[in-house]
Amino acid sequence: MTQSLTLHKDLRQNHRKLTRARQAVLAIVTDAQRHLTPAEIYRKAKIKYPHLGLTTVYRTLDLLAELGYIQRVHAVEGCHSYAPTAQTHGHHLVCATCGRAEEFTDCDLESLIQSLQVRTGFEINVHMLELMGRCPDCRAPARARKRKTPRGKA
Amino acid sequence: MTQSLTLHKDLRQNHRKLTRARQAVLAIVTDAQRHLTPAEIYRKAKIKYPHLGLTTVYRTLDLLAELGYIQRVHAVEGCHSYAPTAQTHGHHLVCATCGRAEEFTDCDLESLIQSLQVRTGFEINVHMLELMGRCPDCRAPARARKRKTPRGKA
DNA sequence: GCGTAATTGAAAATCATTTTCATTTAGAAA
DNA sequence: TTTCTAAATGAAAATGATTTTCAATTACGC
């Protein structure tokens, strides 16, 4: 709604149009509780707007990410998922079992970055921090059920 | 060399064989100064061992990662690259310009993880931290030359 | 409303990855 | 060393994800 208005303005500034496809895609990503893959977004958005094509989803995700409305999420699995920007002001805490993601902003890496800059001579300007584990919901039944196969290296 | 011996032992324990293909792939990743994609590894390893097939590279990368000899790297670009484990005891500092990667181990996230665990109820057991910026080499000439295009789509 | 550039979706093309399968090979045992 | 067999291999095909092409459609400034 309000977001659509802002988007409309942002698009106009670049001589671009606010289409139903773009609204549908943005709505899906914005309302999602967790990051979604392009295919998932396509499936969900197609319900709102059945005429939608997968190609357009890819193009729209690129566009929205460029404009800063959504963000690419890099998790261990699902390298190319997307999450609304609001949800990603900072970093992710992703549940390895159900994919639910919490975000947090306080990452306090300043001192680390400072010392690394001095030590390495790099100029550091981006950082990506992703934490993974199990959310409360997935931890609870885990005690009762059999544990998931560790699929570990050993 | 020494690494090959260790690998041989590790493989034997799992009833697996030390093949020329595996040696070639491991050598390439181990000697790399930055993380490489499967295709890059294939191209380079094929020089050492021309008979090598791409399929085998994929299978070998999985195996070596499982055994802990190499690690998957998740950077903003190149979601499925690999780096030697030695280089990734901790985290990466990647140069956005030339791709050169430094690694560091002191990440000091314990207090952050602690407080997040309490706050969210998550059990946190993995973290991924990647810093990006420009390395000294790429910074130096930057002052003299024109700055690189910011790589925006617009 | 009109005109036009931007956008679209379907299909084809491309690219990365996995599977299949007949052949080859490492390495344990003789 | 030779023999034997399970493990590993590479080529080709299959699969999946993403991008390109292009003619048709649509948003929106006029």
Side-chain angles (χ1 to χ4, degrees):
Chain A
M1 315 295 153
T2 296
Q3 200 173 27
S4 265
L5 285 180
T6 320
L7 178 57
H8 200 172
K9 222 178 79 187
D10 280 355
L11 288 171
R12 191 153 44 206
Q13 287 184 338
N14 294 52
H15 305 286
R16 321 198 79 165
K17 298 170 180 176
L18 178 61
T19 62
R20 291 189 60 193
R22 287 171 179 176
Q23 291 180 78
V25 169
L26 178 57
I28 293 303
V29 178
T30 299
D31 297 350
Q33 290 311 298
R34 59 185 195 80
H35 54 266
L36 302 171
T37 64
E40 288 170 331
I41 294 164
Y42 171 63
R43 194 152 17 82
K44 284 168 183 262
K46 212 171 164 60
I47 295 169
K48 290 202 177 200
Y49 179 47
H51 198 246
L52 183 67
L54 179 56
T55 312
T56 299
V57 171
Y58 277 100
R59 285 189 286 227
T60 302
L61 290 173
D62 273 353
L63 175 65
L64 293 176
E66 231 179 79
L67 293 174
Y69 282 82
I70 64 178
Q71 282 204 274
R72 247 180 244 264
V73 173
H74 290 262
V76 163
E77 29 59 63
C79 261
H80 291 118
S81 295
Y82 292 83
T85 293
Q87 222 187 76
T88 59
H89 260 331
H91 306 288
H92 290 120
L93 171 49
V94 182
C95 176
T97 306
C98 70
R100 185 179 127 196
E102 304 273 329
E103 92 274 7
F104 58 96
T105 50
D106 53 325
C107 58
D108 190 32
L109 294 172
E110 281 319 309
S111 62
L112 171 64
I113 289 177
Q114 260 310 316
S115 79
L116 276 173
Q117 290 195 132
V118 172
R119 220 160 70 208
T120 64
F122 271 61
E123 167 196 304
I124 300 175
N125 40 46
V126 182
H127 71 271
M128 180 170 80
L129 174 62
E130 305 246 352
L131 303 181
M132 274 146 280
R134 275 187 312 160
C135 71
D137 291 352
C138 291
R139 290 178 66 186
R143 262 177 263 122
R145 286 197 228 124
K146 199 184 320 220
R147 199 187 318 159
K148 271 196 88 175
T149 306
R151 84 154 234 69
K153 328 266 164 124
Chain B
M1 317 299 152
T2 297
Q3 198 173 26
S4 264
L5 285 181
T6 320
L7 177 58
H8 200 173
K9 222 180 79 187
D10 280 355
L11 288 170
R12 191 155 43 209
Q13 286 183 340
N14 294 52
H15 305 286
R16 322 197 78 164
K17 299 170 181 176
L18 178 61
T19 62
R20 291 190 59 192
R22 287 171 179 175
Q23 292 179 79
V25 168
L26 178 57
I28 293 302
V29 179
T30 298
D31 296 350
Q33 289 311 299
R34 57 184 195 81
H35 53 265
L36 302 172
T37 64
E40 288 170 330
I41 294 164
Y42 171 62
R43 193 151 20 81
K44 285 166 182 264
K46 211 172 166 62
I47 295 170
K48 290 203 178 200
Y49 179 46
H51 199 246
L52 182 67
L54 179 56
T55 311
T56 300
V57 171
Y58 277 100
R59 285 189 285 226
T60 301
L61 291 173
D62 274 353
L63 175 66
L64 293 177
E66 233 178 79
L67 293 175
Y69 282 82
I70 64 178
Q71 281 203 274
R72 247 181 243 264
V73 173
H74 290 261
V76 163
E77 30 58 63
C79 261
H80 290 118
S81 295
Y82 292 82
T85 293
Q87 221 186 79
T88 60
H89 261 332
H91 305 288
H92 290 119
L93 172 49
V94 182
C95 176
T97 305
C98 70
R100 185 180 127 197
E102 302 274 329
E103 92 275 7
F104 59 96
T105 50
D106 52 326
C107 57
D108 191 32
L109 293 171
E110 281 318 309
S111 62
L112 171 64
I113 288 176
Q114 261 310 318
S115 79
L116 276 173
Q117 290 195 134
V118 172
R119 221 159 70 207
T120 64
F122 271 60
E123 167 196 303
I124 300 174
N125 41 44
V126 181
H127 71 270
M128 183 168 79
L129 173 63
E130 305 248 350
L131 304 181
M132 274 148 280
R134 276 185 313 159
C135 71
D137 290 351
C138 292
R139 288 177 69 185
R143 262 177 263 122
R145 287 198 228 123
K146 198 184 321 216
R147 199 184 321 160
K148 270 198 88 173
T149 307
R151 86 149 226 73
K153 323 256 162 127

mmCIF file of all heavy atoms in Angstrom, chain A residues 16-17 19 22 52 56 59, chain C residues 5-11:
data_model
loop_
_atom_site.group_PDB
_atom_site.id
_atom_site.type_symbol
_atom_site.label_atom_id
_atom_site.label_comp_id
_atom_site.label_asym_id
_atom_site.label_seq_id
_atom_site.Cartn_x
_atom_site.Cartn_y
_atom_site.Cartn_z
ATOM 1 N N ARG A 16 10.264 3.942 -15.249
ATOM 2 C CA ARG A 16 9.788 2.566 -15.228
ATOM 3 C C ARG A 16 8.359 2.564 -14.710
ATOM 4 O O ARG A 16 7.878 3.541 -14.147
ATOM 5 C CB ARG A 16 10.692 1.716 -14.347
ATOM 6 C CG ARG A 16 12.152 2.116 -14.522
ATOM 7 C CD ARG A 16 13.084 1.083 -14.030
ATOM 8 N NE ARG A 16 13.219 0.018 -14.998
ATOM 9 C CZ ARG A 16 14.182 -0.884 -14.962
ATOM 10 N NH1 ARG A 16 15.070 -0.845 -13.997
ATOM 11 N NH2 ARG A 16 14.258 -1.831 -15.875
ATOM 12 N N LYS A 17 7.704 1.444 -14.892
ATOM 13 C CA LYS A 17 6.270 1.409 -14.614
ATOM 14 C C LYS A 17 5.924 0.512 -13.432
ATOM 15 O O LYS A 17 6.603 -0.481 -13.177
ATOM 16 C CB LYS A 17 5.530 0.902 -15.850
ATOM 17 C CG LYS A 17 5.705 1.786 -17.062
ATOM 18 C CD LYS A 17 5.158 1.090 -18.283
ATOM 19 C CE LYS A 17 5.326 1.961 -19.520
ATOM 20 N NZ LYS A 17 4.878 1.236 -20.731
ATOM 21 N N THR A 19 3.686 -2.166 -12.358
ATOM 22 C CA THR A 19 2.779 -3.136 -12.973
ATOM 23 C C THR A 19 2.202 -4.072 -11.920
ATOM 24 O O THR A 19 2.677 -4.136 -10.786
ATOM 25 C CB THR A 19 3.538 -3.982 -14.008
ATOM 26 O OG1 THR A 19 4.565 -4.706 -13.326
ATOM 27 C CG2 THR A 19 4.153 -3.091 -15.074
ATOM 28 N N ARG A 22 4.749 -6.576 -10.702
ATOM 29 C CA ARG A 22 5.689 -6.073 -9.705
ATOM 30 C C ARG A 22 5.037 -5.925 -8.342
ATOM 31 O O ARG A 22 5.651 -6.214 -7.307
ATOM 32 C CB ARG A 22 6.249 -4.725 -10.191
ATOM 33 C CG ARG A 22 7.230 -4.924 -11.331
ATOM 34 C CD ARG A 22 7.668 -3.657 -12.004
ATOM 35 N NE ARG A 22 8.618 -3.990 -13.073
ATOM 36 C CZ ARG A 22 9.135 -3.121 -13.912
ATOM 37 N NH1 ARG A 22 8.795 -1.837 -13.855
ATOM 38 N NH2 ARG A 22 9.975 -3.516 -14.832
ATOM 39 N N LEU A 52 0.913 -14.074 -14.228
ATOM 40 C CA LEU A 52 2.347 -13.886 -13.990
ATOM 41 C C LEU A 52 3.225 -14.986 -14.588
ATOM 42 O O LEU A 52 2.877 -16.152 -14.551
ATOM 43 C CB LEU A 52 2.581 -13.840 -12.478
ATOM 44 C CG LEU A 52 3.993 -13.577 -11.986
ATOM 45 C CD1 LEU A 52 4.422 -12.169 -12.336
ATOM 46 C CD2 LEU A 52 4.055 -13.794 -10.483
ATOM 47 N N THR A 56 9.312 -13.035 -15.479
ATOM 48 C CA THR A 56 9.048 -11.730 -14.886
ATOM 49 C C THR A 56 9.425 -11.710 -13.408
ATOM 50 O O THR A 56 9.888 -10.688 -12.898
ATOM 51 C CB THR A 56 7.561 -11.377 -15.064
ATOM 52 O OG1 THR A 56 7.286 -11.338 -16.458
ATOM 53 C CG2 THR A 56 7.235 -10.033 -14.448
ATOM 54 N N ARG A 59 13.101 -11.115 -13.254
ATOM 55 C CA ARG A 59 13.416 -9.730 -13.592
ATOM 56 C C ARG A 59 12.985 -8.785 -12.483
ATOM 57 O O ARG A 59 13.698 -7.825 -12.139
ATOM 58 C CB ARG A 59 12.729 -9.360 -14.908
ATOM 59 C CG ARG A 59 13.434 -9.974 -16.105
ATOM 60 C CD ARG A 59 12.901 -9.449 -17.418
ATOM 61 N NE ARG A 59 11.584 -10.003 -17.740
ATOM 62 C CZ ARG A 59 11.245 -10.503 -18.935
ATOM 63 N NH1 ARG A 59 12.103 -10.515 -19.914
ATOM 64 N NH2 ARG A 59 10.043 -10.975 -19.145
ATOM 65 P P DA C 5 9.318 5.452 -28.428
ATOM 66 O OP1 DA C 5 10.016 6.528 -29.149
ATOM 67 O OP2 DA C 5 9.100 4.141 -29.072
ATOM 68 O "O5'" DA C 5 10.082 5.211 -27.051
ATOM 69 C "C5'" DA C 5 9.815 6.068 -25.939
ATOM 70 C "C4'" DA C 5 9.617 5.209 -24.702
ATOM 71 O "O4'" DA C 5 8.361 4.486 -24.813
ATOM 72 C "C3'" DA C 5 10.704 4.140 -24.517
ATOM 73 O "O3'" DA C 5 11.050 4.116 -23.141
ATOM 74 C "C2'" DA C 5 10.026 2.846 -24.968
ATOM 75 C "C1'" DA C 5 8.577 3.099 -24.583
ATOM 76 N N9 DA C 5 7.597 2.361 -25.380
ATOM 77 C C8 DA C 5 7.642 2.087 -26.718
ATOM 78 N N7 DA C 5 6.604 1.412 -27.158
ATOM 79 C C5 DA C 5 5.816 1.226 -26.030
ATOM 80 C C6 DA C 5 4.581 0.587 -25.819
ATOM 81 N N6 DA C 5 3.882 -0.011 -26.801
ATOM 82 N N1 DA C 5 4.083 0.588 -24.561
ATOM 83 C C2 DA C 5 4.782 1.186 -23.592
ATOM 84 N N3 DA C 5 5.950 1.826 -23.662
ATOM 85 C C4 DA C 5 6.418 1.808 -24.921
ATOM 86 P P DA C 6 12.090 3.109 -22.548
ATOM 87 O OP1 DA C 6 13.013 3.853 -21.676
ATOM 88 O OP2 DA C 6 12.585 2.257 -23.644
ATOM 89 O "O5'" DA C 6 11.147 2.221 -21.613
ATOM 90 C "C5'" DA C 6 10.289 2.868 -20.686
ATOM 91 C "C4'" DA C 6 9.420 1.821 -20.020
ATOM 92 O "O4'" DA C 6 8.515 1.253 -20.993
ATOM 93 C "C3'" DA C 6 10.208 0.651 -19.434
ATOM 94 O "O3'" DA C 6 9.643 0.358 -18.181
ATOM 95 C "C2'" DA C 6 10.023 -0.460 -20.455
ATOM 96 C "C1'" DA C 6 8.620 -0.163 -20.990
ATOM 97 N N9 DA C 6 8.373 -0.603 -22.360
ATOM 98 C C8 DA C 6 9.185 -0.429 -23.444
ATOM 99 N N7 DA C 6 8.679 -0.913 -24.565
ATOM 100 C C5 DA C 6 7.459 -1.438 -24.188
ATOM 101 C C6 DA C 6 6.427 -2.096 -24.899
ATOM 102 N N6 DA C 6 6.502 -2.340 -26.215
ATOM 103 N N1 DA C 6 5.336 -2.486 -24.213
ATOM 104 C C2 DA C 6 5.273 -2.236 -22.900
ATOM 105 N N3 DA C 6 6.170 -1.628 -22.110
ATOM 106 C C4 DA C 6 7.244 -1.250 -22.827
ATOM 107 P P DT C 7 10.119 -0.851 -17.318
ATOM 108 O OP1 DT C 7 9.807 -0.520 -15.904
ATOM 109 O OP2 DT C 7 11.487 -1.210 -17.746
ATOM 110 O "O5'" DT C 7 9.136 -1.998 -17.785
ATOM 111 C "C5'" DT C 7 7.761 -1.864 -17.483
ATOM 112 C "C4'" DT C 7 7.038 -3.097 -17.932
ATOM 113 O "O4'" DT C 7 7.094 -3.191 -19.362
ATOM 114 C "C3'" DT C 7 7.602 -4.405 -17.390
ATOM 115 O "O3'" DT C 7 6.615 -4.984 -16.551
ATOM 116 C "C2'" DT C 7 7.920 -5.235 -18.641
ATOM 117 C "C1'" DT C 7 7.063 -4.551 -19.708
ATOM 118 N N1 DT C 7 7.555 -4.645 -21.114
ATOM 119 C C2 DT C 7 6.721 -5.184 -22.076
ATOM 120 O O2 DT C 7 5.605 -5.616 -21.842
ATOM 121 N N3 DT C 7 7.247 -5.215 -23.344
ATOM 122 C C4 DT C 7 8.505 -4.753 -23.731
ATOM 123 O O4 DT C 7 8.862 -4.834 -24.896
ATOM 124 C C5 DT C 7 9.322 -4.197 -22.671
ATOM 125 C C7 DT C 7 10.683 -3.683 -22.972
ATOM 126 C C6 DT C 7 8.807 -4.169 -21.422
ATOM 127 P P DT C 8 6.882 -6.360 -15.839
ATOM 128 O OP1 DT C 8 6.037 -6.415 -14.625
ATOM 129 O OP2 DT C 8 8.336 -6.588 -15.767
ATOM 130 O "O5'" DT C 8 6.257 -7.347 -16.913
ATOM 131 C "C5'" DT C 8 4.866 -7.234 -17.194
ATOM 132 C "C4'" DT C 8 4.499 -8.156 -18.314
ATOM 133 O "O4'" DT C 8 5.216 -7.749 -19.488
ATOM 134 C "C3'" DT C 8 4.928 -9.588 -18.061
ATOM 135 O "O3'" DT C 8 3.816 -10.310 -17.590
ATOM 136 C "C2'" DT C 8 5.399 -10.086 -19.438
ATOM 137 C "C1'" DT C 8 5.349 -8.868 -20.322
ATOM 138 N N1 DT C 8 6.568 -8.616 -21.127
ATOM 139 C C2 DT C 8 6.509 -8.821 -22.478
ATOM 140 O O2 DT C 8 5.515 -9.222 -23.048
ATOM 141 N N3 DT C 8 7.680 -8.546 -23.142
ATOM 142 C C4 DT C 8 8.875 -8.085 -22.599
ATOM 143 O O4 DT C 8 9.845 -7.870 -23.290
ATOM 144 C C5 DT C 8 8.856 -7.904 -21.173
ATOM 145 C C7 DT C 8 10.083 -7.408 -20.471
ATOM 146 C C6 DT C 8 7.725 -8.174 -20.510
ATOM 147 P P DG C 9 4.004 -11.642 -16.811
ATOM 148 O OP1 DG C 9 2.844 -11.847 -15.920
ATOM 149 O OP2 DG C 9 5.382 -11.668 -16.279
ATOM 150 O "O5'" DG C 9 3.925 -12.684 -18.002
ATOM 151 C "C5'" DG C 9 2.732 -12.755 -18.762
ATOM 152 C "C4'" DG C 9 2.930 -13.719 -19.906
ATOM 153 O "O4'" DG C 9 3.947 -13.201 -20.795
ATOM 154 C "C3'" DG C 9 3.404 -15.107 -19.475
ATOM 155 O "O3'" DG C 9 2.725 -16.044 -20.285
ATOM 156 C "C2'" DG C 9 4.898 -15.088 -19.766
ATOM 157 C "C1'" DG C 9 4.995 -14.140 -20.949
ATOM 158 N N9 DG C 9 6.237 -13.358 -21.005
ATOM 159 C C8 DG C 9 6.955 -12.864 -19.957
ATOM 160 N N7 DG C 9 8.006 -12.183 -20.330
ATOM 161 C C5 DG C 9 7.987 -12.235 -21.709
ATOM 162 C C6 DG C 9 8.875 -11.687 -22.668
ATOM 163 O O6 DG C 9 9.890 -11.020 -22.474
ATOM 164 N N1 DG C 9 8.476 -11.972 -23.969
ATOM 165 C C2 DG C 9 7.375 -12.705 -24.305
ATOM 166 N N2 DG C 9 7.153 -12.880 -25.608
ATOM 167 N N3 DG C 9 6.534 -13.221 -23.421
ATOM 168 C C4 DG C 9 6.896 -12.957 -22.152
ATOM 169 P P DA C 10 2.713 -17.550 -19.944
ATOM 170 O OP1 DA C 10 1.296 -17.958 -19.885
ATOM 171 O OP2 DA C 10 3.603 -17.796 -18.803
ATOM 172 O "O5'" DA C 10 3.359 -18.158 -21.258
ATOM 173 C "C5'" DA C 10 2.884 -17.709 -22.532
ATOM 174 C "C4'" DA C 10 3.737 -18.288 -23.633
ATOM 175 O "O4'" DA C 10 4.895 -17.448 -23.833
ATOM 176 C "C3'" DA C 10 4.249 -19.694 -23.347
ATOM 177 O "O3'" DA C 10 4.075 -20.486 -24.517
ATOM 178 C "C2'" DA C 10 5.720 -19.495 -22.996
ATOM 179 C "C1'" DA C 10 6.082 -18.201 -23.722
ATOM 180 N N9 DA C 10 7.039 -17.365 -22.995
ATOM 181 C C8 DA C 10 7.116 -17.198 -21.638
ATOM 182 N N7 DA C 10 8.068 -16.369 -21.269
ATOM 183 C C5 DA C 10 8.660 -15.974 -22.457
ATOM 184 C C6 DA C 10 9.731 -15.102 -22.745
ATOM 185 N N6 DA C 10 10.420 -14.447 -21.816
ATOM 186 N N1 DA C 10 10.065 -14.924 -24.043
ATOM 187 C C2 DA C 10 9.368 -15.585 -24.978
ATOM 188 N N3 DA C 10 8.335 -16.430 -24.835
ATOM 189 C C4 DA C 10 8.038 -16.579 -23.532
ATOM 190 P P DA C 11 4.633 -21.980 -24.553
ATOM 191 O OP1 DA C 11 3.670 -22.739 -25.358
ATOM 192 O OP2 DA C 11 4.941 -22.410 -23.165
ATOM 193 O "O5'" DA C 11 5.987 -21.818 -25.355
ATOM 194 C "C5'" DA C 11 6.062 -20.882 -26.433
ATOM 195 C "C4'" DA C 11 7.459 -20.889 -27.013
ATOM 196 O "O4'" DA C 11 8.289 -19.967 -26.266
ATOM 197 C "C3'" DA C 11 8.148 -22.252 -26.927
ATOM 198 O "O3'" DA C 11 8.897 -22.458 -28.116
ATOM 199 C "C2'" DA C 11 9.036 -22.119 -25.689
ATOM 200 C "C1'" DA C 11 9.428 -20.647 -25.768
ATOM 201 N N9 DA C 11 9.765 -20.053 -24.484
ATOM 202 C C8 DA C 11 9.237 -20.342 -23.257
ATOM 203 N N7 DA C 11 9.745 -19.634 -22.268
ATOM 204 C C5 DA C 11 10.671 -18.822 -22.898
ATOM 205 C C6 DA C 11 11.548 -17.840 -22.411
ATOM 206 N N6 DA C 11 11.624 -17.495 -21.129
ATOM 207 N N1 DA C 11 12.337 -17.213 -23.305
ATOM 208 C C2 DA C 11 12.256 -17.551 -24.596
ATOM 209 N N3 DA C 11 11.472 -18.465 -25.171
ATOM 210 C C4 DA C 11 10.692 -19.067 -24.260
#
